[in-house]
Amino acid sequence: MESGSVVSLVSSWLKPGRHLFILVDLIGVTSFAYIAWRRLVPLVRAQADPRLDRPVARLGNVAKFWFGQWKHPRYRGAGILHILIFAGFILLVIRSFSTLLVGAFYSLSAPPGEFARVYNTITDYAATVVFTCMLVAIVRRLVFRPARYAVPTRYGKAHTADAIFLLALIAVLMAAEGLFSAAAAAGQFKVGEAGEQLAFLSLPWLLQIPLASASLATIGKFCFGAYLVHETTFYLLLCYRPFGIQFHVETSLFNVYFAKLNRGTVKPVRWDVPDSALDQVKTFGVKTFEDFTWKHMLDFYSCADCGRCSDSCPANAVGRPLSPRFLSIKARDYAFQHYPVLGRSTNHQALVGSVYSDDEIWSCTTCGACEEECPLLIENIDKIVDLRRGMIDDGNVPQSLQKPLKALESRGNPYGKMEKKRADWATNKEFQRVCPVKTLAKNTANTLYFVDSMTSYDDRMQSIARSTARILANIGDDFGILGGAERDSGHEVRRFGEETLFTALRDHNTDAIKASGVKKIVTADPHAFNALRHDYKDVPPVEHISQVIARTSAAGLIRFNAVERPDQIYTYHDPCYLGRHNDVYDDPRNVLDAIPGLKRVEMQRSRDRSFCCGGGGLMLFYEPKEEQRMGVTRVEMAAEAGADVIVTACPFCMVNLEDAIKVAGLEGKMTAIDLAELVDRQMVRHDSTSTATSYVGG
């Protein structure tokens, strides 16, 4: 294909259609430019979203998640298929665009020499692989139909026909390019040129076989026809994708580059408005489509409709009216309808009540499973929180959440209990004798133990507070608590959408922490840990108690006694806000593995694929519509793994798991325990705390 004779031969075949090819090029490029411009219109009208910081980290994301296809193998079969298709496209880029130039400029634009031979061989096989993958994908869609592709009736019709059409177009494109190469090679041999051999058993090689006996004129017609089909299919595919589920081909690179870099955080009410000026904001959250940021609209365009997010979503798994996949699909459909390529744009329609339902938005626990699974790094939590902000701004608050919110506003905790009772867990005389806990209003300390509301007020969870205090005392840490000066961390409040209340709680706690003079903070609550680490500013560094235990046990400051029942099997449940949002996976497991005689197994869904207990986002007070409790589903997973004891490191998880064990009929067969309680029970104590053993769990 690189010899002068072949170039001349192919050019002579294509010359009669030169003006047609140029016209197709002009129509195709102009049409795509116009469509792309129209698709950008809502992004221009959207809210600001600064995403130009940390370019090196963003390029790293592109290299890892876009070019490296890092998350696709998490679904092995589909992932390998997608990686092969993506790799084929990357390899075929130069070849495809150079082929488009042939009809207009009579040049195959192939680099000369050995590089061209190697590149042509590689791309022959790449085209073959892509063509084969298209056929496999079509069969997969039509015959095997993975459950995650299904579309419940309430969400409309499936996009199967759209997907099949797009897959078929790509297959036709690969076949046309292969036939064009085969015809050029067949003509080459007809005129007696040795030239380049097509890759053995590749698509062009196979298509060349029936052309071998054809006349030169017939081969020329095939060459002309294949080229015309290739060119029209290329532009049809390019211009059709922005109307369907493959728009991510054009947008995914940009979506990954501009993706959120800091997990565990929540976007502010307005990026261009500081917290101190929130009282000047006329309206909070997302109410109309234009209230989304431009990046979140880009998310909608970039959704591949693969269903991985919904497949991993615990709310969707237990039958709640939420499927993260359709948060994007329905918004994209809205954008296509109200910002059409042809015709006038219409906007400012309320989203909740038309596009989304109330229950759909409240069903999310903000666990982050959907975001962890998405190969294109689409963000859902910020959108959910913004939609909730808009609902709360309009006074649309679920009945079951109104009381805890009022209590948080008046008393600083969702239970409505007196502030002075926040430290009652530490007032037991026997506990005080063994492990006195300082209140920092009258004392100083190096470490603040931030207890937070649930562990302070819930009778059962107070055991976690006492165990945490004994652990800190046992390692010789000089610590204290804020007591009545502490307020709820506001973590759930913010993710519920009550930004003003969160700001008040945060500012109060920040002032109290600074006034205490502590150098570091420890907490046993992952929600408080996440808030202090990501939502607060200008406070000392914070650690979760599991990190403290892992660090000090590795240094020899904590030693463990062997478990009394080595026949019991333990499993660890990853709290969402300790694991997925803060990447603390190994520390709790290292602690468990350091306890002599403790046998541990992993549940099928663990670490970054852990299944939420259902406690995030004030869900302990919300009454969702669901077929089965998330906690029940989780303890069933533990039972399936053969576990007798579920260990977690979160009071929210403890509440839900202990309740779920009862509901699931596993009481007496399975127990749940917090990591701090387990360590408190098993650690070898110094003489000063040796009598504390009888108070573990009390």
Side-chain angles (χ1 to χ4, degrees), residues 322-635:
L322 170 66
S323 178
R325 167 190 176 194
F326 293 101
L327 289 176
S328 293
I329 298 302
K330 291 194 292 185
R332 182 171 64 202
D333 290 345
Y334 179 95
F336 288 176
Q337 178 184 355
H338 291 269
Y339 288 92
V341 169
L342 299 175
R344 298 181 62 182
S345 300
T346 58
N347 51 17
H348 302 304
Q349 179 182 350
L351 294 178
V352 177
S354 58
V355 178
Y356 303 120
S357 68
D358 293 18
D359 289 337
E360 188 175 6
I361 303 306
W362 296 124
S363 289
C364 178
T365 66
T366 70
C367 72
C370 56
E371 295 185 357
E372 186 67 39
E373 209 63 55
C374 181
L376 298 177
L377 309 188
I378 288 171
E379 303 155 20
N380 290 314
I381 294 176
D382 282 350
K383 299 187 189 82
I384 288 283
V385 171
D386 255 345
L387 285 162
R388 289 174 174 176
R389 285 168 174 161
M391 295 170 73
I392 287 180
D393 195 44
D394 288 340
N396 186 358
V397 183
Q399 184 68 34
S400 60
L401 293 175
Q402 292 178 12
K403 184 177 179 179
L405 281 173
K406 289 179 180 178
L408 280 159
E409 185 175 3
S410 61
R411 293 294 186 187
N413 67 84
Y415 306 99
K417 296 186 178 182
M418 298 291 289
E419 295 91 326
K420 64 182 181 181
K421 293 184 176 295
R422 186 174 279 272
D424 279 3
W425 60 269
T427 59
N428 177 282
K429 290 184 179 180
E430 286 298 317
F431 175 77
Q432 280 188 320
R433 183 178 64 81
V434 175
C435 183
V437 177
K438 293 187 292 186
T439 301
L440 298 182
K442 300 179 180 179
N443 301 279
T444 60
N446 183 66
T447 301
L448 166 65
Y449 170 31
F450 193 94
V451 189
D452 217 355
S453 295
M454 176 176 287
T455 314
S456 295
Y457 290 111
D458 185 279
D459 291 341
R460 167 64 184 89
M461 297 306 114
Q462 287 177 352
S463 170
I464 298 175
R466 287 189 278 270
S467 290
T468 301
R470 281 191 287 260
I471 292 168
L472 293 174
N474 200 55
I475 62 176
D477 204 341
D478 176 26
F479 75 97
I481 61 174
L482 294 175
E486 181 185 294
R487 297 290 183 273
D488 191 275
S489 67
H491 186 271
E492 312 314 299
V493 173
R494 189 175 207 196
R495 280 143 190 85
F496 176 72
E498 250 289 14
E499 191 73 16
T500 303
L501 177 55
F502 161 73
T503 302
L505 293 168
R506 180 197 62 190
D507 292 348
H508 174 93
N509 284 329
T510 299
D511 291 342
I513 292 170
K514 289 182 177 180
S516 71
V518 297
K519 304 299 182 184
K520 61 180 180 177
I521 305 172
V522 172
T523 182
D525 187 331
H527 299 255
F529 173 66
N530 190 73
L532 291 163
R533 188 179 185 192
H534 296 297
D535 296 337
Y536 283 49
K537 299 177 181 178
D538 303 322
V539 296
V542 58
E543 282 187 300
H544 185 264
I545 189 63
S546 64
Q547 296 174 299
V548 175
I549 298 168
R551 174 169 48 78
T552 53
S553 64
L557 296 178
I558 295 181
R559 292 180 295 111
F560 298 105
N561 295 307
V563 293
E564 294 182 2
R565 292 190 54 187
D567 59 310
Q568 285 189 324
I569 306 297
Y570 290 71
T571 191
Y572 178 69
H573 163 75
D574 291 276
C576 302
Y577 274 96
L578 188 61
R580 268 191 294 268
H581 290 281
N582 287 284
D583 293 322
V584 180
Y585 297 113
D586 294 329
D587 286 339
R589 289 172 169 81
N590 292 341
V591 171
L592 293 177
D593 294 341
I595 299 175
L598 188 147
K599 298 177 183 177
R600 181 174 64 85
V601 296
E602 290 282 8
M603 287 182 272
Q604 185 174 3
R605 292 191 60 169
S606 61
R607 300 181 73 89
D608 62 352
R609 277 184 158 170
S610 182
F611 192 89
C612 180
C613 73
L618 282 178
M619 286 298 154
L620 291 179
F621 302 94
Y622 182 56
E623 299 171 358
K625 299 175 182 178
E626 57 189 359
E627 297 169 4
Q628 178 171 282
R629 295 184 187 181
M630 289 186 196
V632 173
T633 302
R634 189 54 169 165
V635 299

Side-chain angles (χ1 to χ4, degrees), residues 194-328:
E196 293 289 342
Q197 293 283 341
L198 296 174
F200 179 66
L201 289 181
S202 67
L203 182 62
W205 185 88
L206 293 170
L207 292 173
Q208 182 191 15
I209 295 174
L211 294 175
S213 59
S215 66
L216 195 60
T218 301
I219 295 173
K221 291 178 181 178
F222 272 103
C223 183
F224 183 94
Y227 184 84
L228 181 60
V229 170
H230 174 275
E231 192 169 38
T232 53
T233 303
F234 178 90
Y235 287 116
L236 177 59
L237 187 62
L238 184 67
C239 293
Y240 181 77
R241 277 198 295 249
F243 292 90
I245 65 173
Q246 278 195 10
F247 198 12
H248 70 277
V249 175
E250 280 75 27
T251 63
S252 60
L253 172 62
F254 304 101
N255 204 63
V256 171
Y257 179 82
F258 291 117
K260 187 175 183 176
L261 296 177
N262 298 318
R263 293 294 300 272
T265 60
V266 174
K267 70 170 285 290
V269 173
R270 292 282 186 271
W271 279 105
D272 50 356
V273 178
D275 288 350
S276 58
L278 283 180
D279 57 343
Q280 300 176 17
V281 178
K282 294 181 179 180
T283 180
F284 277 40
V286 168
K287 298 179 183 179
T288 67
F289 187 72
E290 293 71 28
D291 290 329
F292 283 119
T293 73
W294 65 264
K295 172 57 175 65
H296 291 164
M297 290 184 185
L298 187 62
D299 278 349
F300 300 144
Y301 287 168
S302 301
C303 177
D305 198 18
C306 66
R308 295 182 183 211
C309 56
S310 295
D311 195 39
S312 65
C313 173
N316 186 58
V318 299
R320 292 190 185 184
L322 170 66
S323 178
R325 167 190 176 194
F326 293 101
L327 289 176
S328 293

Side-chain angles (χ1 to χ4, degrees), residues 73-145:
R74 292 167 71 93
Y75 282 71
R76 187 167 299 174
I80 292 173
L81 194 67
H82 191 277
I83 290 172
L84 291 173
I85 295 169
F86 178 82
F89 280 161
I90 294 296
L91 292 169
L92 288 165
V93 165
I94 297 175
R95 175 163 164 169
S96 294
F97 279 101
S98 63
T99 301
L100 289 174
L101 301 176
V102 173
F105 300 102
Y106 302 157
S107 171
L108 296 181
S109 303
E114 183 66 14
F115 177 83
R117 187 189 68 79
V118 173
Y119 179 73
N120 286 334
T121 299
I122 291 173
T123 51
D124 280 349
Y125 285 125
T128 307
V129 169
V130 173
F131 178 79
T132 304
C133 287
M134 291 303 106
L135 299 182
V136 172
I138 290 172
V139 171
R140 193 166 175 270
R141 283 268 182 177
L142 291 175
V143 179
F144 297 100
R145 298 180 181 178

Side-chain angles (χ1 to χ4, degrees), residues 78 110 686:
H686 301 312

